Amino acid sequence: MNINALTCGPNAIETHAYDVRRYTSDMLGWLHANIPREKTHLIALLKLCQLHCKDIETPELALLLAKSMFCLQDHTVLFSYILAEYCTCRRAILVRLFINALTCGPNAIETHAYDVRRYTSDMLGWLYANIPREKTHLIAILKLCSRTDKDQVISDSLANISEGVTNPLRVRIEKILTSNTSPIALYTVTSLLRFYRKTIGGVIPSSSLDKTLIELVETSEGVFVNTLQRMVRVKILEKVEAPGPDLIPSPGVTHLLNLLREMLSAAQHYEDETDRQSDTLRVVSNIIDPLLQTINLSASRLSTVHMSVYLLNSIHTMTKALEEYPNIGHYRERLAAQCDVQVDTLTSEQSSSFVVNLNLAPMYTILQEVNNRATSPGGRQDALSRIPGMEVASLNNFLRNFDNFLANPNTLVLPQVNLILNGEHRNAILTRSCQVICAIYRQLYEAVHDPTNMYENPATLLSKTPAEIRTILETKSKEQIQDVSNVQQPPATPAIQEV
């Protein structure tokens, strides 16, 4: 009721308040005369909003709609009805614009459907650009309203408007996922969906479009992993062959590692750190794990030395491929541990080869037996010079071979060791092997110079001290490193450290 009619002027209704009958009759009469007129105004306002709700992009009409919504905000049913009408109209417009962007004109999005990355990016980018525009329109028509739930009204209305584009988007994304067999392309699509789901979801959380994007992300991740696993199995069967005589990784290993690099670099710009770390681990585990199993199976048919060299070369190649990715530390540690195992195995084999070729095995056995007897209670030690195999003639035979070894240590290196790709691994193996020879020579030198072993002229028999032997090997190692560097090859014999 208009307060002025009650209180203002000489004919104000309340001037007759003393007359209860007239007072009541005047109030009801005023309501009977004026309510139909207000109802007529509301109906006219409703029709005006219905007529022009599609013209929100016109500034004058947008202001008119904002004033109309302000007048209707206290009439909940009419206010909700106009909002529903507006959302229906804008939903149809948004769908039409989306379909036109997809199919109409020389620059239609679907003209690039052959390029999966661009096609997906253009579709999601169009939605990302236009949905915030709809939010801007909603804010404009409700800017004069003072409702406490205005933010929720805008959010619900925006979800309603965007619902229309979910089906066209879903159909096209699912077609991409079912028709594409490239794991790189599928990974790119997954990363794009995940990126735009976060950005669009921030504008319209819990909406139908947001839920659709979440479902598409989950579907895309599943299709991507299955496709990757299937491709890895096929490539392993087709390209990972038995080791060749050069003991380097087969072309299939290189192919899969190149696939890993391409995949991890395909979507770096669309992912945050958490997603990048998760995806890196997923890709690496689906490529490296089956590849390691296949390599170990192939190597199991080889001899110990051939197997260790082949595994060392293959693992080194994988380690190099993973160097630029910081989020897979445990994989690098795992590969490094396997390299250490192979280096230990090859060190043992190379040391044994040195000992056998230098005729050190019998002497080393005798020295160990004599030392054991000397340390046992009541043990009696004979002079070494009287034990067969330790006499002067046997020592001279050893020293001839040993002098040849010192002149060119590389002559006794196992051929397979020279096939190791990583110079650090090769040098570590030869360094440790030469340390074993130096240690045995030191025991022999001390035994020959021990007076109790009754060698005549020990200084003449073994004229080189253990320190001199180590220095000679270090010098030869440096010379070989210099020679090899001139032809861009890794050195064959490393420097010998103090034993």
Side-chain angles (χ1 to χ4, degrees):
M1 175 177 287
N2 193 326
I3 299 300
N4 290 336
L6 287 173
T7 61
C8 298
N11 296 320
I13 295 175
E14 287 192 350
T15 59
H16 305 286
Y18 64 88
D19 186 347
V20 174
R21 179 176 175 277
R22 183 176 177 179
Y23 182 41
T24 306
S25 176
D26 287 350
M27 283 195 294
L28 294 177
W30 189 93
L31 291 173
H32 178 74
N34 287 277
I35 284 181
R37 185 171 58 186
E38 183 177 359
K39 182 178 179 181
T40 302
H41 293 166
L42 290 176
I43 292 174
L45 198 58
L46 179 64
K47 291 182 178 180
L48 178 68
C49 292
Q50 287 177 315
L51 179 63
H52 294 293
C53 63
K54 63 180 181 298
D55 301 318
I56 184 63
E57 297 179 10
T58 304
E60 295 81 3
L61 293 177
L63 181 59
L64 179 62
L65 284 172
K67 292 180 178 179
S68 300
M69 297 304 289
F70 170 74
C71 295
L72 292 173
Q73 64 177 333
D74 293 330
H75 302 274
T76 305
V77 175
L78 295 178
F79 184 83
S80 300
Y81 181 80
I82 290 299
L83 269 182
E85 188 79 16
Y86 173 83
C87 292
T88 301
C89 179
R90 293 305 303 177
R91 181 168 63 245
I93 293 173
L94 186 66
V95 171
R96 186 180 73 251
L97 292 174
F98 185 46
I99 297 300
N100 289 343
L102 288 171
T103 59
C104 299
N107 295 321
I109 294 174
E110 290 191 345
T111 59
H112 303 288
Y114 62 89
D115 185 346
V116 172
R117 176 181 172 278
R118 179 172 180 179
Y119 183 38
T120 306
S121 178
D122 287 351
M123 283 193 292
L124 296 173
W126 189 94
L127 293 176
Y128 176 65
N130 283 273
I131 288 177
R133 191 175 301 158
E134 294 298 328
K135 183 176 182 179
T136 302
H137 294 333
L138 280 167
I139 293 174
I141 67 171
L142 297 176
K143 65 181 180 180
L144 301 179
C145 296
S146 57
R147 292 170 61 104
T148 57
D149 62 342
K150 185 164 69 173
D151 290 340
Q152 185 63 43
V153 168
I154 292 175
S155 179
D156 293 343
S157 300
L158 194 59
N160 189 347
I161 294 170
S162 63
E163 184 178 358
V165 298
T166 56
N167 191 54
L169 178 67
R170 180 191 293 274
V171 169
R172 285 162 175 80
I173 295 296
E174 288 180 347
K175 184 177 180 180
I176 292 173
L177 298 179
T178 55
S179 62
N180 210 289
T181 58
S182 168
I184 297 177
L186 291 172
Y187 179 49
T188 303
V189 171
T190 301
S191 299
L192 284 168
L193 285 169
R194 195 184 291 132
F195 171 77
Y196 279 105
R197 184 266 143 184
K198 290 180 179 179
T199 54
I200 295 175
V203 180
I204 44 173
S206 303
S207 63
S208 177
L209 179 59
D210 185 39
K211 293 176 183 177
T212 298
L213 289 173
I214 292 174
E215 293 172 1
L216 289 174
V217 168
E218 294 174 352
T219 303
S220 181
E221 287 176 346
V223 173
F224 157 64
V225 171
N226 291 336
T227 304
L228 177 60
Q229 291 173 343
R230 185 167 56 251
M231 173 173 279
V232 170
R233 287 195 297 268
V234 171
K235 295 301 180 183
I236 284 177
L237 291 175
E238 289 181 352
K239 294 183 177 293
V240 180
E241 304 167 351
D246 53 4
L247 298 179
I248 63 174
S250 66
V253 175
T254 305
H255 178 84
L256 287 174
L257 293 178
N258 288 336
L259 174 66
L260 184 147
R261 291 191 192 95
E262 292 176 15
M263 195 168 300
L264 293 181
S265 62
Q268 295 293 321
H269 302 296
Y270 306 108
E271 299 186 317
D272 57 26
E273 186 61 30
T274 303
D275 289 337
R276 188 179 300 116
Q277 181 174 355
S278 174
D279 286 346
T280 300
L281 290 175
R282 181 187 291 117
V283 171
V284 169
S285 64
N286 279 287
I287 293 179
I288 296 298
D289 287 344
L291 191 55
L292 275 175
Q293 294 174 4
T294 304
I295 289 172
N296 280 294
L297 181 62
S298 301
S300 64
R301 304 183 181 94
L302 304 175
S303 65
T304 301
V305 176
H306 286 80
M307 177 180 69
S308 294
V309 172
Y310 177 67
L311 288 176
L312 195 58
N313 286 340
S314 299
I315 295 171
H316 168 68
T317 303
M318 286 186 271
T319 302
K320 294 290 288 183
L322 299 177
E323 279 182 346
E324 57 188 284
Y325 306 109
N327 300 322
I328 50 173
H330 72 283
Y331 262 97
R332 281 196 291 270
E333 293 172 1
R334 176 181 167 188
L335 293 175
Q338 294 194 35
C339 284
D340 291 341
V341 171
Q342 305 310 322
V343 168
D344 291 342
T345 300
L346 289 169
T347 298
S348 176
E349 294 292 329
Q350 182 63 76
S351 301
S352 300
S353 176
F354 280 161
V355 169
V356 170
N357 284 284
L358 292 172
N359 292 326
L360 268 176
M363 293 182 181
Y364 181 68
T365 302
I366 293 171
L367 287 173
Q368 294 301 108
E369 290 176 352
V370 169
N371 289 337
N372 290 337
R373 285 200 300 270
T375 56
S376 62
R380 180 180 177 182
Q381 178 178 347
D382 296 330
L384 278 178
S385 60
R386 299 178 181 178
I387 298 177
M390 291 298 294
E391 65 273 12
V392 174
S394 297
L395 288 176
N396 286 331
N397 183 39
F398 156 70
L399 289 172
R400 282 192 296 271
N401 293 331
F402 195 57
D403 287 340
N404 293 332
F405 171 71
L406 293 178
N408 188 6
N410 198 38
T411 56
L412 297 184
V413 174
L414 293 171
Q416 296 86 350
V417 172
N418 286 322
L419 297 176
I420 296 175
L421 296 176
N422 188 347
E424 293 182 1
H425 291 154
R426 182 173 54 256
N427 292 344
I429 292 166
L430 296 177
T431 296
R432 298 177 192 177
S433 301
C434 289
Q435 287 174 357
V436 172
I437 300 303
C438 289
I440 296 176
Y441 181 84
R442 173 178 289 175
Q443 294 183 38
L444 181 61
Y445 181 86
E446 292 173 351
V448 169
H449 285 74
D450 188 347
T452 61
N453 289 322
M454 303 176 65
Y455 284 102
E456 295 182 3
N457 300 319
T460 304
L461 185 61
L462 287 182
S463 59
K464 295 183 178 68
T465 65
E468 291 173 335
I469 296 298
R470 186 180 66 253
T471 301
I472 291 172
L473 289 175
E474 287 178 349
T475 302
K476 291 294 180 181
S477 171
K478 291 177 182 179
E479 292 175 357
Q480 290 175 356
I481 291 174
Q482 184 63 38
D483 293 341
V484 171
S485 64
N486 292 333
V487 293
Q488 297 182 349
Q489 292 180 353
T493 307
I496 306 302
Q497 301 174 357
E498 182 72 33
V499 179

